[in-house]
Amino acid sequence: MSEPPKRPIDQKRESAFSMKIGHHGDGTAILDMVATTDSLFMVKQDSVHAVRLADQIDPERTNINLPNTQQLFADAGSDSDIVARTLLSAGQLFTKTHFPDAKIRDRVVLISAEIMSQLLAAQKVLAQLETDEERRIAEVRASKDPTRLPAATEVEARANTFIQKAEHALQAIYRLAEIFYGSQMKVEGKFPDNLTLALAKAFGENDPATVYAKAVALFAHHVRNTRHCVEHRKENQQVVAKDFQLRLDGTISPPSITVVHPKTPIEETNLTAFMSAWVEGLTAITETLLLYLAEKNHTPFGNFPIGVGYVPEEQRAMPKVRVGYLINIGGQWNRIG
């Protein structure tokens, strides 16, 4: 029995098509692609674009005029440490070969994309503050007015925004672990120590993943409590952010932050240094957690024992994407794929 003739919409959806991804100035080449069931992230040097096919929007094929679409997802790409160590690392580790369950792959990739977005937003707050500090200092020096102090302005608002973005990223990081250990994490107690307890029960207290989760929890308490200081301000629970200040010795201190909290206080410190440390810390935690989750949960690769870890620099497809699957051949670890 012959197949019924294809409808015009079927012919259109199943035919080849081309699409120019991105815009002028964000690099010409597509350097990597990270797929989910619902969309495809195309990564260029300085941008990430989300591509959705018409069939993903209209799987029942009801609207012949619906186009395939692309949309800028992030204005940073493979040159960004954040993009490389979140979304691109998830794409390298959670492949169909090693994680055949599409639902798991989708959740890992989408949460990693969310972490990336929050960290990029936090980094923008940092970058703008650094730019404004430099500009204001230059303006005051040029004025040659000894009574004038530089002012970054809106320092408290910027600090609060940064802290909230960072804490949103932290929440998403723990949701990555919930994909694999969520039921046990619910049993073991409250965030963030529940991940440590869940891993200890699964693999033992001395397992590297458990030890790492315990260290991460200490940082997570600082981040969560600092967020509480922003959203539930009290006399003994608050963030104090200051603009440029004139010291008693006549020098001028840059914008600073102090966290007043009974359990996780932070003494007055340079605000941009504080922000930079948090961005780097959360980026590193994401990359390392992805490694441990892949190591503990990947499907075996035939009969060959494989490792999950940091790929030798000379074997990396993209310099800033440091993780992948490895196989030991003749005493030397080689990247798979």
Side-chain angles (χ1 to χ4, degrees), residues 6 12 32 43 75 81 85 109 142 172 183 201 229 233 237 245 279-280 290 298 306 318 324 329:
K6 290 186 177 181
K12 181 179 180 180
D32 202 2
V43 183
D75 54 4
D81 283 325
R85 298 169 73 183
V109 168
S183 58
K201 182 163 288 187
C229 291
R233 188 183 182 107
Q237 179 178 290
Q245 297 284 310
V279 168
E280 168 58 28
L290 286 169
H298 71 83
I306 63 172
M318 287 176 287
I329 301 175

Side-chain angles (χ1 to χ4, degrees), residues 20-28 44 46-47 49 70 72 74-75:
K20 184 178 179 181
I21 302 297
H23 52 82
H24 177 71
D26 65 352
T28 56
K44 303 178 78 172
D46 296 310
S47 60
H49 303 263
Q70 60 158 309
L72 179 66
D75 54 4

Side-chain angles (χ1 to χ4, degrees), residues 19 40 43 48 63 71 78 92 134 136 151-152 157 170 175 191 210 224 258 268-269 271 292 329 332:
M19 179 187 292
L40 176 67
V43 183
V48 179
N63 184 355
Q71 186 174 35
S78 62
Q92 286 289 313
E134 291 177 5
R136 298 299 189 183
L170 178 71
R175 290 209 309 276
F191 168 95
T210 307
R224 172 57 66 88
T258 303
E268 185 174 15
T269 189
L271 180 55
Y292 279 125
I329 301 175
Q332 182 177 350

Side-chain angles (χ1 to χ4, degrees), residues 94-258:
F94 291 84
T95 63
K96 187 175 182 179
T97 299
H98 302 291
F99 288 87
D101 189 332
K103 291 182 179 179
I104 288 178
R105 295 198 311 274
D106 282 0
R107 290 179 67 190
V108 170
V109 168
L110 292 174
I111 293 174
S112 297
E114 179 185 348
I115 296 168
M116 177 190 74
S117 296
Q118 294 292 346
L119 291 179
L120 287 174
Q123 187 182 57
K124 285 181 180 179
V125 177
L126 165 60
Q128 187 61 57
L129 179 59
E130 289 175 327
T131 298
D132 289 347
E133 285 185 12
E134 291 177 5
R135 179 167 56 88
R136 298 299 189 183
I137 290 171
E139 288 175 356
V140 169
R141 285 175 177 168
S143 74
K144 298 182 180 180
D145 182 349
T147 69
R148 184 177 171 185
L149 294 178
T153 72
E154 302 169 358
V155 171
E156 183 175 336
R158 299 189 206 217
N160 291 348
T161 298
F162 175 88
I163 290 163
Q164 289 170 327
K165 297 295 183 185
E167 204 272 339
H168 291 161
L170 178 71
Q171 289 184 41
I173 288 169
Y174 273 76
R175 290 209 309 276
L176 280 175
E178 288 175 359
I179 296 172
F180 301 96
Y181 308 109
S183 58
Q184 192 60 42
M185 289 170 69
K186 289 180 181 178
V187 172
E188 294 298 338
K190 294 183 178 180
F191 168 95
D193 301 299
N194 55 351
L195 175 58
T196 306
L197 295 171
L199 293 177
K201 182 163 288 187
F203 308 110
E205 292 185 359
N206 297 322
D207 185 89
T210 307
V211 174
Y212 184 72
K214 187 174 183 179
V216 169
L218 295 175
F219 178 58
H221 278 294
H222 273 274
V223 176
R224 172 57 66 88
N225 290 343
T226 303
R227 197 285 307 266
H228 286 334
C229 291
V230 170
E231 298 190 355
H232 309 286
R233 188 183 182 107
K234 304 174 185 176
E235 185 176 349
N236 68 338
Q237 179 178 290
Q238 59 179 298
V239 168
V240 180
K242 297 179 181 178
D243 210 321
F244 288 92
Q245 297 284 310
L246 180 65
R247 296 192 181 106
L248 286 175
D249 62 4
T251 60
I252 298 174
S253 61
S256 66
I257 186 170
T258 303

Side-chain angles (χ1 to χ4, degrees), residues 46-65:
D46 296 310
S47 60
V48 179
H49 303 263
V51 174
R52 296 191 72 196
L53 302 181
D55 267 358
Q56 292 173 314
I57 301 168
D58 175 30
E60 300 299 322
R61 296 186 172 180
T62 61
N63 184 355
I64 194 171
N65 297 314

